[in-house]
Amino acid sequence: MFIDDTGTPIDSHFETFEKLPIGAASLAQVHLATLKDTGQRVAVKVQHPALAEWVPLDLALTRMTFIILKKFFPEYDLEWLSNEMELSLPQELDFALEGSNALRTKQHFSNIRDIPLVIPDIIWGLKRILVMEYVSGHRTDDVTYLADGYSDSNGIDRDEVSASLARCFNEMIFGDTALHCDPHGGNIAVRKNESRGKPNFDIILYDHGLYRDIPQQLRRSYAKLWLAVMDADEHGMRKYAHEVAGVTDEQFPLFASAITGRDYRAVTQSVISTRSDKEKEEISGAMGDGLLQQLVQLLARSLDESLHTRDGPVRNFLILARYCSRTVFREKVEAFQRDGNLWWPSNLFHFVGAWASYMRVEIKLSLYEWSLLDKYKELPASKRLLIAVSGIPGSGKTTLASLVVRRLNDLHGQHEPGCAQQAAIAAFVPLDGYHLSRAQLSALPDPATAHARRGAAFTFDAAGFLRLVRTLREPLCPESRTVHAPSFDHAVKDPVADDVPIPTSARVVVFEGNYLSLNKGPWREAAGLMDELWFVEVGFEVARRRLVGRHVKAGIARDEEVAERRVTENDLVNGREIVEERLEVQEVIQSIEDEGWRPEAQGE
């Protein structure tokens, strides 16, 4: 086949070529080889030689079978299946197309640093032969490898693997790329990657032969369907199920169970609750015996159950909800823009409403997804949960971090009424207190630049902040005492030592600052001591507008012209460094303006 397709024998391409395949399926098999010119280890996917000859006959027989079946049993109309096979199979047999799909997807995810996806590089490809980078890993449901390893612990969190897979495929469904349509266990692997940071693993995606580009309107209707499922809104579920898949009212109960893997009765109450053993039995038993029962059981089988995750399906449903809410929000923004200027009074009113709806979903999901109160309860008595919230200037990270701390303390008071009057369980520590004082700036080698660039990373006491984090990372014991951090006095424009108390009762500490996920020096070391890194993402122009107003209001700049110059020459310069040198984080939160979430509207 190599001679037929390339005009040269195998040994003209490869120094070594292992005859025994490392994997085989119905269409092709994969061999390990070494490139002749570079010595690179590669995987060579070769199609079964006679396959193309038999496929047209197989497709014709399949179509004929379904036509005959429909004629004698009209209720079993499976012609759609033969239509799908006639569309899909030729694509899967074109390995050059598979290589193109892989490169397209690799390019898309290269711009999304928070999804640890690896797609092997394509060396070259023809219609029946594909040569790609050899990247190996373990099955994602190999719990022994993830948690215990073979000789020592790999320390890969099963919940993070599940969440990363959820983000990956939600991005394909709702993002501006194509959807990988064959994500079975053999096409997904996981490997440890300490250099990535958090998470400490890669997800490897193989076999890119079958892809679909989802029409935009279908994406949007699908997002609305899932939001209706999340809200247990049966009317909305039925409406969008019909828009997405033509599902009738009669078919709806089965459809709802199939897409969620849940009993229909649970779907109309709360889809994010955990499945009981009784529900698993009922969802199969209610369908009776035979093929349909097997199908529903297959759809209901959950990767989370295979991985034995702690969160079950809850976290992944919430990740899905975030993508859905973002999709619906963007649709609304486009509609406002089509209707005219976004800032017209009527459009602005509706736009703020859409903003409010979206931001509430973002905040609620961030709090719920990470279940901070539950994590606090699960903490050993000697340990603190440390969370760092970072972002560029003007992103809204201070508002988010302080709100999270306040809500955690409120929730703890509600869940533990007897402890409501005791010291808070969560503490908020802003980075502002670690600004170098004006006297320290003046002592630097270039004091003029230091004062002008105040707010840049080099104008902070990064080593002092690292010492604080190390102190808080030490185990708590009866002898532990309150730790103090500095604050910043904006009136005198200098830090105030030991002004922020962190009592021993504060088992959750939320830090906030521009550089808390910066991949440089002491900042990187401090980030490595955190349990979670969050990043608040915002567009630079949105941040610019916020900062100009803030600087004038705070007296940092005497007017908007001076404020604009400061923002351009300092704040946004720092912002670019923050974005470009950012470590991997566990959570990216989109900053969307909503008047209801401003500090003054929260009673602060």
Side-chain angles (χ1 to χ4, degrees):
M1 188 172 74
F2 261 82
I3 293 176
D4 288 342
D5 289 21
T6 69
T8 53
I10 289 180
D11 57 14
S12 67
H13 299 277
F14 306 106
E15 189 69 38
T16 64
F17 189 95
E18 296 185 10
K19 293 183 178 180
L20 188 66
I22 58 172
S26 57
L27 302 183
Q29 58 194 43
V30 178
H31 297 259
L32 289 180
T34 305
L35 290 180
K36 201 174 189 67
D37 295 335
T38 64
Q40 181 182 357
R41 193 73 161 154
V42 294
V44 184
K45 183 176 181 179
V46 292
Q47 194 174 117
H48 297 317
L51 194 62
E53 301 174 19
W54 291 99
V55 163
L57 177 60
D58 288 343
L59 290 174
L61 290 174
T62 301
R63 173 173 283 279
M64 182 65 69
T65 300
F66 290 151
I67 290 174
I68 295 172
L69 180 66
K70 181 180 177 181
K71 181 175 180 63
F72 290 98
F73 303 98
E75 66 273 23
Y76 291 103
D77 183 2
L78 296 177
E79 284 190 270
W80 64 269
L81 183 54
S82 63
N83 293 335
E84 176 62 27
M85 290 175 63
E86 289 176 0
L87 176 65
S88 301
L89 199 51
Q91 294 182 34
E92 292 192 86
L93 292 175
D94 187 349
F95 290 176
L97 176 62
E98 177 178 344
S100 176
N101 289 337
L103 292 174
R104 176 185 174 187
T105 305
K106 187 180 184 74
Q107 175 62 33
H108 178 80
F109 280 92
S110 68
N111 299 316
I112 306 174
R113 299 166 57 192
D114 303 300
I115 299 178
L117 184 66
V118 170
I119 294 174
D121 283 331
I122 303 300
I123 310 301
W124 57 267
L126 302 173
K127 193 172 182 65
R128 296 193 298 172
I129 304 169
L130 185 65
V131 181
M132 66 201 98
E133 173 190 16
Y134 175 57
V135 182
S136 64
H138 292 257
R139 286 179 61 95
T140 53
D141 58 357
D142 185 347
V143 178
T144 301
Y145 170 76
L146 299 181
D148 303 317
Y150 298 107
S151 60
D152 59 353
S153 173
N154 284 297
I156 297 176
D157 191 321
R158 301 187 300 272
D159 291 271
E160 292 304 319
V161 172
S162 178
S164 294
L165 285 167
R167 291 190 182 97
C168 173
F169 284 95
N170 276 296
E171 177 63 30
M172 289 184 178
I173 292 169
F174 298 106
D176 186 23
T177 188
L179 173 65
H180 186 299
C181 296
D182 195 18
H184 60 74
N187 285 341
I188 306 173
V190 62
R191 68 177 181 183
K192 190 169 184 178
N193 183 356
E194 292 287 8
S195 66
R196 183 177 287 278
K198 294 182 180 181
N200 63 339
F201 59 84
D202 295 323
I203 298 291
I204 309 166
L205 189 59
Y206 306 113
D207 194 352
H208 303 271
L210 187 57
Y211 270 66
R212 286 287 188 276
D213 282 288
I214 304 174
Q216 187 180 69
Q217 190 53 51
L218 180 59
R219 293 181 198 266
R220 291 171 172 176
S221 294
Y222 191 58
K224 293 169 188 174
L225 169 63
W226 276 110
L227 290 176
V229 170
M230 299 289 174
D231 291 337
D233 174 9
E234 185 171 353
H235 173 74
M237 283 189 264
R238 290 180 183 272
K239 174 185 176 182
Y240 293 113
H242 182 72
E243 285 189 15
V244 169
V247 175
T248 65
D249 284 343
E250 182 180 4
Q251 297 166 330
F252 176 73
L254 175 60
F255 176 79
S257 293
I259 65 168
T260 61
R262 303 300 306 270
D263 186 334
Y264 165 66
R265 289 162 291 186
V267 175
T268 55
Q269 295 171 14
S270 175
V271 75
I272 62 173
S273 58
T274 304
R275 288 199 302 175
S276 65
D277 291 336
K278 182 180 179 182
E279 182 189 335
K280 293 175 192 176
E281 293 174 4
E282 287 179 347
I283 193 173
S284 298
M287 302 303 168
D289 296 326
L291 180 62
L292 185 58
Q293 179 187 10
Q294 294 173 27
L295 174 63
V296 174
Q297 286 176 330
L298 177 64
L299 289 166
R301 189 178 299 130
S302 169
L303 176 64
D304 295 298
E305 290 165 4
S306 300
L307 285 170
H308 307 293
T309 59
R310 297 178 295 276
D311 297 334
V314 175
R315 186 177 180 189
N316 288 344
F317 273 122
L318 292 171
I319 292 170
L320 169 63
R322 173 171 285 111
Y323 276 91
C324 291
S325 65
R326 195 173 301 169
T327 299
V328 172
F329 172 72
R330 287 171 178 167
E331 180 187 14
K332 290 178 180 178
V333 171
E334 286 183 17
F336 299 147
Q337 292 172 334
R338 284 196 305 270
D339 291 341
N341 192 308
L342 188 62
W343 304 111
W344 285 355
S346 59
N347 282 351
L348 184 59
F349 175 78
H350 294 295
F351 185 46
V352 170
W355 252 342
S357 175
Y358 175 65
M359 192 57 180
R360 287 190 181 99
V361 170
E362 284 290 315
I363 294 291
K364 288 177 183 177
L365 293 182
S366 295
L367 290 172
Y368 197 114
E369 180 184 351
W370 293 103
S371 304
L372 296 180
L373 188 62
D374 289 339
K375 289 189 176 184
Y376 158 74
K377 291 178 179 178
E378 294 172 2
L379 278 175
S382 62
K383 186 179 179 182
R384 285 186 169 101
L385 181 67
L386 305 184
I387 301 167
V389 182
S390 60
I392 70 172
S395 61
K397 57 191 176 294
T398 306
T399 300
L400 173 64
S402 59
L403 180 59
V404 166
V405 168
R406 198 185 74 181
R407 293 287 176 85
L408 281 172
N409 288 326
D410 289 347
L411 281 172
H412 182 252
Q414 294 168 15
H415 285 265
E416 306 287 346
C419 303
Q421 302 303 317
Q422 297 182 11
I425 65 158
F428 171 51
V429 181
L431 187 63
D432 273 357
Y434 286 92
H435 272 98
L436 294 179
S437 68
R438 288 178 295 170
Q440 289 173 308
L441 293 174
S442 296
L444 292 177
D446 186 352
T449 299
H451 281 279
R453 290 292 315 282
R454 197 178 199 189
F458 74 89
T459 67
F460 280 84
D461 180 10
F465 178 72
L466 176 58
R467 286 194 296 273
L468 172 73
V469 177
R470 285 174 174 165
T471 299
L472 294 174
R473 194 78 284 177
E474 293 175 358
L476 289 166
C477 61
E479 292 75 30
S480 296
R481 296 289 181 265
T482 296
V483 176
H484 290 83
S487 67
F488 190 83
D489 188 333
H490 288 274
V492 300
K493 297 181 174 57
D494 265 340
V496 179
D498 299 332
D499 195 45
V500 179
I502 308 170
T504 55
S505 65
R507 305 280 306 290
V508 180
V509 182
V510 181
F511 303 92
E512 169 274 320
N514 293 340
Y515 305 106
L516 300 189
S517 59
L518 192 67
N519 190 13
K520 288 184 177 180
W523 303 114
R524 178 173 54 242
E525 189 173 346
L529 295 172
M530 300 293 176
D531 294 288
E532 293 176 7
L533 299 177
W534 296 1
F535 190 83
V536 182
E537 194 169 78
V538 69
F540 274 68
E541 288 309 308
V542 174
R544 180 192 299 276
R545 290 197 301 272
R546 294 176 181 174
L547 289 167
V548 168
R550 180 190 302 176
H551 290 341
V552 172
K553 183 178 179 180
I556 297 173
R558 65 175 180 270
D559 55 36
E560 289 192 358
E561 182 180 350
V562 175
E564 180 75 34
R565 187 164 59 250
R566 177 182 174 83
V567 169
T568 301
E569 296 176 357
N570 194 30
D571 293 316
L572 297 188
V573 173
N574 300 335
R576 280 188 286 275
E577 179 185 23
I578 291 164
V579 171
E580 292 169 2
E581 300 291 337
R582 199 193 82 195
L583 292 162
E584 297 291 340
V585 299
Q586 284 74 44
E587 181 71 4
V588 175
I589 300 167
Q590 298 293 328
S591 176
I592 304 295
E593 291 184 12
D594 176 358
E595 295 296 328
W597 288 98
R598 290 187 182 277
E600 54 267 28
Q602 297 291 320
E604 298 178 3

